Amino acid sequence: MLLPIITYPNKLLKNISDDVVLFDSQLHAFLDNMYETMMHSNGIGLAAIQVAMPIRALILCIPDEEGNQDPNNTLEIINPRIVNPNGKTTYQEGCLSVPGFYEDIERYETLTLHYHDRHGVECSLQADELLSIAIQHEMDHLDGKLFIDHLSYSRRKKFEKEHKKALKEKK
Ligand code: Y12
Ligand code: CO
C-alpha cells in the first residue's frame, strides 16, 4: 500500500520519533508499505516520520554504480545509534519531503551503526560513501531535523525564497 509522504513545512516533520518496542506483524506491514512508497517515489531512503509515523524506523536502498536499486540490498533500520563517526564529506542531498531542492551538506565520512532489524535482532554495520550519508540524513528525520536545517543563514534564506516561489507557481 502506498502511503502519503508529508512535505516541508508540515510541522510533523519536526517530531522527535519514539523507539520501536514491538517488532510485530503490524511493524512488518508498515515497513513493507514504506518500501513500496519509497520505490514508487524514486527515493533511496525514507524515515517513518515522512509518512507521518513518529517511530524510530527508516529504510534505505542504495543504488549500485549503474544506478540500479536491488531490493535485496534494502536495509530496514530500527532504533539506530551511531558510534565512532569519522572524517568529513560533502554531498548534494535531496529529500522526498523537500521535493525539488538539492543542497550540499557536510556529514561524517564513515561510521559504525548499531540498530535492530524488523525482528528486533541487534545488528551492526560499517558505513562509508553514500550509505553513510544516507544513514545520517535519515537519522536526522528521527530527531525532527531536515537537511535544510544544516544550511547557513544566507543559504536557508535563499531556500525559503525559492520554496515560496515554487509553492506560488504550483497554485
Ligand atoms: C544522499 C542524500 C540524501 C539521501 C536521503 C534520501 N533522499 C531521497 O531518497 C531523495 C529522493 C528524491 C526523489 C525525487 O524524485 C525523482 O527524482 C523522480 C525528487 O524529485 C523531486 O524533488 C522533483 C527529490 C528527491 C540519501 C543519500
Ligand atoms: Co529526507
Side-chain angles (χ1 to χ4, degrees):
M1 184 175 78
L2 288 178
L3 306 168
I5 296 177
I6 59 173
T7 56
Y8 177 84
N10 191 316
K11 283 199 166 64
L12 276 181
L13 290 166
K14 288 182 173 291
N15 267 24
I16 303 211
S17 294
D18 295 323
D19 276 341
V20 172
V21 287
L22 277 180
F23 296 82
D24 57 4
S25 58
Q26 204 180 322
L27 175 71
H28 299 171
F30 175 67
L31 291 168
D32 292 345
N33 290 337
M34 278 181 69
Y35 176 78
E36 196 182 332
T37 303
M38 178 181 76
M39 297 310 282
H40 178 81
S41 309
N42 291 309
I44 63 174
L46 189 71
I49 193 60
Q50 293 181 268
V51 289
M53 181 69 79
I55 61 170
R56 298 185 86 80
L58 62 96
I59 58 165
L60 296 168
C61 190
I62 303 295
D64 62 22
E65 298 89 68
E66 280 97 51
N68 300 316
Q69 286 172 287
D70 180 346
N72 296 317
N73 286 339
T74 304
L75 283 167
E76 296 172 335
I77 293 174
I78 296 159
N79 302 340
R81 191 166 51 86
I82 289 175
V83 293
N84 204 18
N86 270 300
K88 286 286 158 73
T89 186
T90 299
Y91 190 83
Q92 192 174 55
E93 298 188 14
C95 178
L96 290 171
S97 293
V98 194
F101 294 92
Y102 306 88
E103 280 283 358
D104 281 349
I105 305 294
E106 190 180 79
R107 303 280 187 188
Y108 294 115
E109 195 169 20
T110 62
L111 56 86
T112 301
L113 191 74
H114 294 308
Y115 64 101
H116 291 87
D117 72 7
R118 63 160 59 200
H119 304 290
V121 175
E122 280 186 30
C123 305
S124 67
L125 61 77
Q126 308 288 332
D128 62 7
E129 300 184 335
L130 196 53
L131 176 59
S132 171
I133 293 162
I135 286 170
Q136 293 169 74
H137 175 112
E138 299 307 334
M139 281 182 67
D140 267 356
H141 280 296
L142 308 186
D143 292 324
K145 203 164 177 184
L146 297 173
F147 75 103
I148 51 169
D149 295 327
H150 288 275
L151 297 177
S152 66
Y153 181 81
S154 60
R155 281 167 77 200
R156 179 61 182 249
K157 282 274 169 221
K158 188 171 158 270
F159 162 77
E160 295 296 350
K161 208 171 153 186
E162 283 175 26
H163 183 255
K164 229 178 190 173
K165 191 165 169 256
L167 281 187
K168 252 189 197 165
E169 281 166 5
K170 235 176 108 183
K171 274 185 192 168

